[in-house]
Amino acid sequence: MSKQKNLYPPVAFHFKLQILGSKDPMDYGFQEISGIKATIDTEAIAEGGENRFQHQLPLKTSYSPLVLKRGMALHQSTLATWCDNTMEFSIDKPIKTYDLLVSLLNEKRAPVFSWKFMNAYPTNWEVSTLNAEDNNILFETITLNYNYYTMVSG
C-alpha cells in the first residue's frame, strides 16, 4: 500500500521552539510565534526614454523580527534567563546569540515544517499591562533579531 500525502494544509496551532546549543533547548507554552517573514528589498531604476515604468532591481533580503508571546512563566526558563542576561547588557559583556528552531507539529508531535533562525538574540522583552479592572492572564512578549532564517525539512 503506497503512502498517500496529506492534501490538506497544516494547522498553525501546534508548534514548538528550541534554543539550539543551550543546556535546556526546549521552551514550550507559546500562545503565538510571529514574524516569520523575508522580503527582498528593491531599487527603482529609470530607463532613459522609457516613461511607462521603472525597473525594480533586487538588492538584499531583509527579515522581520521574531516575536514570541506566552503567559508569563512562574519559573525561570532558559529563554527568560537568556532575555534577562541580554537586557543587562554592558560593553564588557558580549551578547550571547543562539540558533533557534521553530517547528510546526502534526498530531503525532512530529515536525511538518521547521525554520532555523541563525544568531538570534533578544531585543525587547515586554510584560502585559497590570490592570486591577481586568481578569486577564499576564503575558510576556519577547522580540528577537537574527541574521537570517532557512526552512529545514520536517
Side-chain angles (χ1 to χ4, degrees):
M1 181 185 246
S2 67
K3 207 174 191 183
Q4 184 180 16
K5 290 194 177 225
N6 190 350
L7 300 177
Y8 296 103
V11 296
F13 60 80
H14 193 199
F15 51 89
K16 70 178 178 179
L17 170 78
Q18 292 176 274
I19 303 171
L20 305 176
S22 70
K23 291 179 184 178
D24 181 18
M26 295 298 200
D27 224 314
Y28 292 99
F30 293 97
Q31 177 184 357
E32 181 178 301
I33 296 178
S34 61
I36 303 175
K37 179 181 176 182
T39 304
I40 296 177
D41 299 328
T42 60
E43 178 181 11
I45 303 290
E47 180 179 349
E50 178 59 70
N51 296 325
R52 293 176 296 162
F53 65 90
Q54 292 183 334
H55 296 282
Q56 299 294 322
L57 302 179
L59 296 174
K60 63 177 179 58
T61 303
S62 60
Y63 299 92
S64 297
L66 189 64
V67 181
L68 315 173
K69 183 178 180 181
R70 67 176 176 186
M72 188 83 175
L74 294 177
H75 68 284
Q76 193 72 352
S77 69
T78 300
L79 181 62
T81 301
W82 180 33
C83 288
D84 196 33
N85 290 339
T86 303
M87 296 304 161
E88 293 176 358
F89 171 75
S90 67
I91 194 93
D92 62 334
K93 185 174 146 189
I95 291 177
K96 176 74 174 158
T97 64
Y98 285 106
D99 294 344
L100 305 176
L101 188 66
V102 174
S103 298
L104 182 65
L105 307 174
N106 65 16
E107 66 280 357
K108 296 177 183 171
R109 299 195 52 79
V112 177
F113 297 113
S114 293
W115 298 267
K116 187 174 182 181
F117 298 84
M118 309 305 289
N119 298 315
Y121 59 94
T123 57
N124 188 32
W125 189 11
E126 180 180 349
V127 176
S128 61
T129 303
L130 305 174
N131 186 339
E133 295 180 358
D134 285 338
N135 188 17
N136 294 328
I137 293 174
L138 183 65
F139 281 98
E140 64 180 336
T141 303
I142 300 163
T143 304
L144 302 140
N145 280 359
Y146 53 92
N147 290 353
Y148 64 95
Y149 74 83
T150 59
M151 196 166 183
V152 293
S153 60

